[in-house]
Amino acid sequence: MTNLNKVILQGCVTKDAELKTTSTGNSYSSFIIVVNRDYKNGETWTEKANFFYLTLWGTRAENLTPYLKRGLKVNVEGYLEQNRYEKNGIKESRTEVRIEKLFMLSKSMAADNILGPAVDSAFNSHEEAKNEEQTEDFLIPEDEGIY
C-alpha cells in the first residue's frame, strides 16, 4: 500500500527565519508561518490562526534565509516530518513541514524596501531567472516570487 505525505500551505512568515548548522555541517533554516482559516460559528464567521513550523535544508536554506522576513507571504509545498528530541531530560516531539518547493508572493514588500535592496535586485533580475533552467528544489512562479 502506498502512503501519501504531502502538505501545501500559504501564509505569512511570523518572524525572521534563522539559518543554523547541524553538528555534521548541514545548513538548515527554520521559521513559522501563520495560516488563517475562516469558519462559521453559528451565524457569525470567525477567523482562526494556525501556526506551522517549517524547515528548509541545504543551499536553498543558505540562499533563501535572508529573504524570509516577518510578514512575507509564502506558498510552500513539502511533507510532514516528526522530530523527536530530549529537552531537560524530557522526551519531546514536534511535527514540522519540510519544504520541497517555496514561492515568495509578496512583491510589494521589496518595493517598500522592507526586505532591503538585495530583494529589489532579485526582482529586477526575475526575467533572467525565469529563462534559466528551473530545478524541482525551487520553482519561480510566472508573475510572482523570487528565487
Side-chain angles (χ1 to χ4, degrees):
M1 178 180 207
T2 303
N3 295 313
L4 178 64
N5 182 356
K6 184 73 172 175
V7 176
I8 301 172
L9 297 170
Q10 183 171 305
C12 292
V13 176
T14 61
K15 73 175 199 174
D16 297 358
E18 298 177 37
L19 184 63
K20 300 176 183 176
T21 306
T22 65
S23 59
T24 58
N26 295 321
S27 298
Y28 70 99
S29 181
S30 60
F31 58 101
I32 299 170
I33 65 169
V34 60
V35 178
N36 295 320
R37 183 179 69 86
D38 295 330
Y39 65 95
K40 196 165 185 176
N41 187 4
E43 293 298 314
T44 61
W45 283 93
T46 304
E47 184 177 80
K48 180 181 180 188
N50 297 285
F51 296 87
F52 298 95
Y53 293 93
L54 289 85
T55 54
L56 186 62
W57 288 85
T59 55
R60 289 179 296 157
E62 294 167 5
N63 294 333
L64 296 174
T65 297
Y67 304 110
L68 296 171
K69 301 291 185 187
R70 183 176 188 255
L72 179 70
K73 189 171 186 177
V74 295
N75 181 298
V76 297
E77 294 181 28
Y79 57 92
L80 292 176
E81 184 173 70
Q82 186 177 31
N83 294 317
R84 294 180 180 98
Y85 55 96
E86 195 169 309
K87 185 176 181 180
N88 299 326
I90 300 171
K91 291 183 179 181
E92 303 212 14
S93 170
R94 180 165 80 182
T95 302
E96 300 179 350
V97 176
R98 186 158 180 178
I99 299 172
E100 295 176 306
K101 297 178 185 175
L102 171 72
F103 300 90
M104 295 184 189
L105 305 175
S106 299
K107 275 187 183 181
S108 62
M109 291 183 72
D112 294 338
N113 287 324
I114 294 172
L115 295 180
V119 175
D120 289 334
S121 64
F123 279 117
N124 292 336
S125 63
H126 178 64
E127 287 303 314
E128 294 173 21
K130 284 197 317 186
N131 295 329
E132 293 178 9
E133 183 180 334
Q134 295 182 5
T135 67
E136 75 176 56
D137 288 340
F138 187 77
L139 300 178
I140 302 169
E142 284 301 311
D143 297 324
E144 299 179 321
I146 64 172
Y147 59 94

